Amino acid sequence: MKYKWRYLLIFTLIVFIVTSISNITFAQEVPTITAPNGVLIDYETGKVLFDKNAHQQTYPASTTKVMTAVLVLENANLDDKVTIDYDLYVDGSSMYLLRGESFTVKELLHALLIRSANDTAEALAIHVAGSVEKFVEMMNQRAKELGALNTNFSNPHGLPDTSHVTTAYDLAMIAKHAMSFDLFREIVNTPMLTFEPTEQTPETRYYRNTNKFLWGTGIGNQMLYDGKYINIKYDIIDGIKTGYTGAAKQCLISSGVKDDHRLISVILGAEGVDVYSDSRTLIDYGHANFKLVSLTGKNSDQLKVPVKNGKENYVNISIANDKLSIIPNNTKLSDITESISINENIKAPITQGQALGKLSYSLDNEVIGEIDLIAKESIEEQPILLKLLKPSKFFVIFISAFILWQIFIAYLRIKKRNRKRFSYRKRSPIYNFNKNIFK
């Protein structure tokens, strides 16, 4: 008995050590950044993977121009000509547009996002809304619609203004939407921009992208990262926008793609090249510790659910579309549980694509994804006349019982009648007549 307890104690100790090692091995070390504000989100799902004061209001500087670009892409014809028929001067980074020059909206978008030209931002704002003031109203309304609830813009370029504020999270939401535009992705990933001479500006304009992640190599373009100096250029980064003012300090929104998995980081208020090391720290952390998985895969299974008052008694339902989720790298798909909930009292009419339930996925008792279950076809309502004529279950049972009862009564009557007939024959005398007696 003494040895039994000793073995049990040793076994318990081994289990504890193994469990502890396992926890240490798979622990996800949260990164540290020097900037006061930062966030990392998954592009597909919008899930926040890192948060440092991500909802604290601060100055965005030229990262504002992402919002400006979104409104231009949504409200202007890219081939429209914008003619500068007024004197235009804005402080800070500029394309130095002169009265009489004409460019397409698309060309000005390139200058806005690559050169980070403040005068271009105002020219586009006036082209889209008629005035900078009206454009700012559009910016604030659209920002709220995109989930940027703690943002207030007062201009289209980001020059200092105490009322011009946003948050790291809000900029991530705006950038997430902006990256859904093919042209936006193409522009913010362009290292160099050239404008041919115009009558007003006889020399060629050459602009290098303000984002050193796209081209920064060699002395003067290095940063301290992971204990050593390396080039700022990082091949997995494909945009998106820098910003700097004395009040805002260094700001950067970055998009990093690895194995078809895109992450978006936002760093606000950094010092010098730390904005790049902080951004890379978050992007690398996200790719090292999280993966994007399909919860539904190619699931094409269909379910049938009953329909009330329909021409058909059942409707086929299936998933609306594929559902993606971001999960820790060490998570097994088998750890994810699936549950189905169907709406109660489903009645006709039903339209194709109508949501009739939900498919939920959970990991460690936390819902990580939900997707609608939709009708595969339309079901028309049964005509009122047919509904009235259509017997209910109770009516059918009643009629069936009544018919059986009548059959039983008829059987008893026939049986009784047969009995009487037999009894009468038994009591009556038998006469034998001679067929010739009456002759």
Side-chain angles (χ1 to χ4, degrees):
M1 190 71 176
K2 180 180 177 182
Y3 292 108
K4 256 185 185 178
W5 282 106
R6 184 179 296 172
Y7 291 143
L8 182 60
L9 182 61
I10 292 170
F11 176 77
T12 304
L13 185 61
I14 290 171
V15 170
F16 174 78
I17 292 171
V18 169
T19 305
S20 299
I21 291 172
S22 175
N23 288 338
I24 292 170
T25 302
F26 294 107
Q28 298 172 12
E29 186 178 348
V30 179
T32 57
I33 58 174
T34 64
N37 306 91
V39 73
L40 176 71
I41 68 165
D42 172 64
Y43 170 72
E44 291 290 344
T45 65
K47 181 170 182 177
V48 175
L49 306 179
F50 173 89
D51 175 340
K52 181 180 180 182
N53 302 319
H55 296 281
Q56 183 183 73
Q57 285 188 330
T58 187
Y59 300 124
S62 284
T63 58
T64 299
K65 296 183 175 89
V66 175
M67 185 74 249
T68 301
V70 166
L71 285 180
V72 172
L73 287 165
E74 291 179 342
N75 295 280
N77 187 325
L78 295 173
D79 297 323
D80 281 352
K81 282 280 187 180
V82 179
T83 300
I84 310 302
D85 55 2
Y86 49 90
D87 291 328
L88 179 61
Y89 174 79
V90 186
D91 286 338
S93 177
S94 179
M95 186 179 169
Y96 304 107
L97 292 168
L98 298 176
R99 183 191 284 263
E101 288 191 303
S102 291
F103 297 93
T104 65
V105 169
K106 186 175 180 180
E107 288 172 328
L108 292 179
L109 264 179
H110 279 76
L112 176 79
L113 296 169
I114 297 173
R115 169 63 174 168
S116 195
N118 295 333
D119 55 352
T120 301
E122 288 206 1
L124 286 169
I126 293 169
H127 176 74
V128 170
S131 71
V132 170
E133 292 74 22
K134 288 183 179 179
F135 187 81
V136 168
E137 290 178 9
M138 292 173 64
M139 291 175 73
N140 287 318
Q141 180 181 342
R142 192 71 180 105
K144 297 294 185 292
E145 292 169 354
L146 295 175
L149 304 180
N150 294 304
T151 291
N152 183 75
F153 295 118
S154 63
N155 60 63
H157 37 63
L159 286 176
D161 186 319
T162 54
S163 64
H164 189 89
V165 292
T166 187
T167 69
Y169 175 80
D170 285 5
L171 285 176
M173 292 297 100
I174 294 169
K176 180 180 183 296
H177 178 66
M179 290 296 282
S180 67
F181 293 93
D182 292 340
L183 179 60
F184 183 90
R185 290 200 304 272
E186 176 190 320
I187 294 174
V188 296
N189 195 28
T190 302
M192 288 290 297
L193 174 64
T194 302
F195 281 102
E196 294 300 320
T198 66
E199 183 180 341
Q200 293 76 16
T201 304
E203 62 273 0
T204 302
R205 293 173 168 109
Y206 297 97
Y207 300 127
R208 186 159 57 180
N209 199 310
T210 57
N211 190 352
K212 291 186 178 183
F213 266 142
L214 302 178
W215 55 267
T217 60
I219 297 174
N221 294 308
Q222 293 194 326
M223 63 180 180
L224 183 62
Y225 184 75
D226 202 19
K228 59 184 179 182
Y229 283 94
I230 61 172
N231 290 326
I232 293 174
K233 186 179 187 298
Y234 195 23
D235 290 340
I236 73 169
I237 301 294
D238 62 351
I240 26 190
K241 190 68 190 75
T242 63
Y244 174 79
T245 64
K249 298 185 179 180
Q250 296 289 346
C251 305
L252 179 60
I253 307 174
S254 299
S255 164
V257 183
K258 188 176 182 180
D259 299 327
D260 295 325
H261 182 199
R262 184 187 301 278
L263 301 172
I264 293 176
S265 70
V266 180
I267 297 294
L268 301 176
E271 299 285 352
V273 295
D274 287 345
V275 73
Y276 291 104
S277 57
D278 283 349
S279 297
R280 179 162 177 170
T281 294
L282 294 189
I283 294 291
D284 285 350
Y285 163 74
H287 283 133
N289 291 282
F290 298 93
K291 60 185 176 182
L292 188 67
V293 298
S294 169
L295 296 176
T296 52
K298 295 181 180 178
N299 187 355
S300 60
D301 293 343
Q302 292 187 9
L303 295 173
K304 281 189 174 183
V305 295
V307 177
K308 292 183 178 180
N309 301 330
K311 282 188 174 181
E312 304 292 336
N313 293 324
Y314 293 90
V315 60
N316 292 307
I317 62 173
S318 65
I319 58 173
N321 54 328
D322 193 13
K323 182 66 177 179
L324 301 174
S325 182
I326 188 80
I327 59 175
N329 273 341
N330 59 356
T331 302
K332 297 177 181 177
L333 290 179
S334 57
D335 295 333
I336 299 173
T337 58
E338 180 183 274
S339 62
I340 295 176
S341 61
I342 304 297
N343 298 349
E344 295 182 358
N345 297 321
I346 296 175
K347 296 179 180 179
I350 293 171
T351 57
Q352 186 178 13
Q354 181 179 335
L356 300 176
K358 280 190 181 299
L359 189 58
S360 298
Y361 296 89
S362 301
L363 178 63
D364 297 330
N365 296 320
E366 179 186 351
V367 176
I368 61 172
E370 285 187 334
I371 188 168
D372 286 335
L373 293 171
I374 61 171
K376 292 290 288 181
E377 63 272 331
S378 297
I379 303 292
E380 294 181 9
E381 187 177 10
Q382 193 175 62
I384 295 176
L385 183 59
L386 288 179
K387 276 198 284 186
L388 293 174
L389 294 176
K390 184 177 180 179
S392 65
K393 287 183 180 179
F394 175 78
F395 182 73
V396 170
I397 293 172
F398 175 79
I399 290 298
S400 300
F402 179 77
I403 291 172
L404 289 173
W405 173 253
Q406 290 301 314
I407 292 173
F408 179 68
I409 293 298
Y411 167 75
L412 291 178
R413 285 176 179 170
I414 292 170
K415 191 172 182 183
K416 186 176 180 181
R417 190 180 300 129
N418 288 340
R419 270 203 208 110
K420 284 182 178 179
R421 190 177 296 164
F422 178 76
S423 175
Y424 176 78
R425 286 177 180 173
K426 193 173 181 182
R427 291 195 303 270
S428 300
I430 300 174
Y431 294 97
N432 290 317
F433 290 97
N434 190 311
K435 60 181 179 179
N436 298 317
I437 194 167
F438 296 106
K439 288 185 178 180

